Amino acid sequence: MRLDKFIAKSTTLNKQQVIVVIQAEKILVNNILITDCAFQVHENNHVTLEGRLLKTRPFRYLLMHKPAHTICSNIDEVYPSALNLLKLNNDIEHVSELHIAGRLDVDTTGLILITDDGRWTFNITLPTNNCSKIYRVNLSKVITQDIVKRFAEGIQLQGEANLTLPAFIEVINSKEVLLTLTEGKFHQVKRMFSAVGNRVVKLHREQIGDVKLDVAAGKWRYLTPLEINSFYK
């Protein structure tokens, strides 16, 4: 973890105040003066501020049901950030330290994971870890067995050198499917169906890895220890 982030998670200082105390030579790491905000510190390091030992707050892991017309960003843009939903009842402190582990489009609803543990996020989003995601997809045209087969073999997306990894379709009805992916390219679900002549009308993520969505739209809960650890398989 960067030194400036470590101090922010160990104190009530804001970002600018953290920079000031580092540059003012008030921080020691293992009894060595450090003035580089990007210096990497680890859990077993001894970090002090003017002689006071610092200890970071515990990491947090949340599940949220993202509603439509919100974005997976830490700041509001044209649409509001989904993280605003954590602030409604002042239930969560230090929301600015949190981030979303993987994104959904503004009009896509469903499961997002929120944390302040960067290493945990990396484990989820690293392509080689093949973390599965399940989407409920409503389509403009009837799904065919040929499309099911093509998805399992890989789809050539425009602008991509390689085929997508095998994706698996479970047909619910003629225009509704459950789609399982193990990668997360930009707008991938919509681009895959577009590549086979269909169009996504509605998109909803139901599951990431072993974690299933079980709260109403706009609501959230903390992950259980079992759910948190499931991403270290």
Side-chain angles (χ1 to χ4, degrees):
M1 183 187 299
R2 284 173 56 110
L3 178 60
D4 52 1
K5 183 175 181 181
F6 182 95
I7 296 171
K9 281 185 62 61
S10 307
T11 68
T12 59
L13 300 177
N14 61 36
K15 291 182 180 180
Q16 188 58 44
Q17 290 169 331
V18 167
I19 293 172
V20 169
V21 298
I22 293 175
Q23 294 180 344
E25 302 184 350
K26 296 182 178 181
I27 300 296
L28 297 181
V29 179
N30 298 331
N31 296 318
I32 299 174
L33 177 65
I34 303 295
T35 57
D36 179 6
C37 292
F39 183 82
Q40 290 293 311
V41 296
H42 305 284
E43 295 174 0
N44 60 343
N45 288 159
H46 188 273
V47 182
T48 59
L49 168 58
E50 296 185 312
R52 178 169 62 91
L53 181 65
L54 300 183
K55 184 176 178 61
T56 60
R57 293 181 288 275
F59 287 122
R60 295 165 293 172
Y61 308 89
L62 296 77
L63 167 159
M64 177 184 284
H65 186 158
K66 175 191 172 297
H69 310 305
T70 59
I71 57 173
C72 294
S73 170
N74 282 59
I75 59 174
D76 296 336
E77 297 175 14
V78 175
Y79 293 94
S81 167
L83 294 181
N84 288 333
L85 296 169
L86 299 176
K87 305 174 185 178
L88 293 181
N89 299 315
N90 296 317
D91 291 332
I92 297 287
E93 296 182 337
H94 310 291
V95 172
S96 63
E97 296 178 2
L98 297 167
H99 63 269
I100 297 171
R103 298 190 170 196
L104 291 179
D105 299 339
V106 63
D107 57 345
T108 301
T109 62
L111 174 59
I112 57 175
L113 299 176
I114 301 170
T115 185
D116 48 8
D117 184 348
R119 287 191 295 179
W120 188 75
T121 297
F122 181 76
N123 203 57
I124 294 172
T125 58
L126 186 67
T128 55
N129 282 355
N130 296 321
C131 180
S132 63
K133 294 97 177 173
I134 300 178
Y135 297 84
R136 185 173 294 271
V137 190
N138 293 91
L139 300 164
S140 63
K141 298 179 182 179
V142 172
I143 191 75
T144 65
Q145 284 303 310
D146 176 64
I147 291 177
V148 173
K149 181 181 178 181
R150 289 179 64 184
F151 269 57
E153 294 172 345
I155 299 293
Q156 183 66 59
L157 299 179
Q158 184 175 3
E160 300 281 350
N162 300 316
L163 298 178
T164 60
L165 294 178
F168 302 98
I169 291 177
E170 176 186 345
V171 178
I172 305 301
N173 58 53
S174 62
K175 293 185 178 181
E176 182 178 1
V177 303
L178 291 179
L179 173 66
T180 301
L181 300 179
T182 56
E183 56 185 344
K185 297 180 183 294
F186 181 69
H187 294 317
Q188 182 169 346
V189 176
K190 295 176 181 178
R191 292 168 66 201
M192 290 178 75
F193 280 104
S194 177
V196 297
N198 213 322
R199 181 173 62 85
V200 173
V201 175
K202 187 177 180 180
L203 186 59
H204 177 81
R205 185 158 66 193
E206 297 191 345
Q207 186 170 339
I208 301 176
D210 295 334
V211 177
K212 298 180 180 180
L213 184 62
D214 58 2
V215 298
K219 302 299 183 179
W220 63 273
R221 66 170 174 83
Y222 286 104
L223 294 180
T224 67
L226 184 62
E227 289 172 327
I228 295 166
N229 292 330
S230 69
F231 292 103
Y232 290 111
K233 291 180 180 179

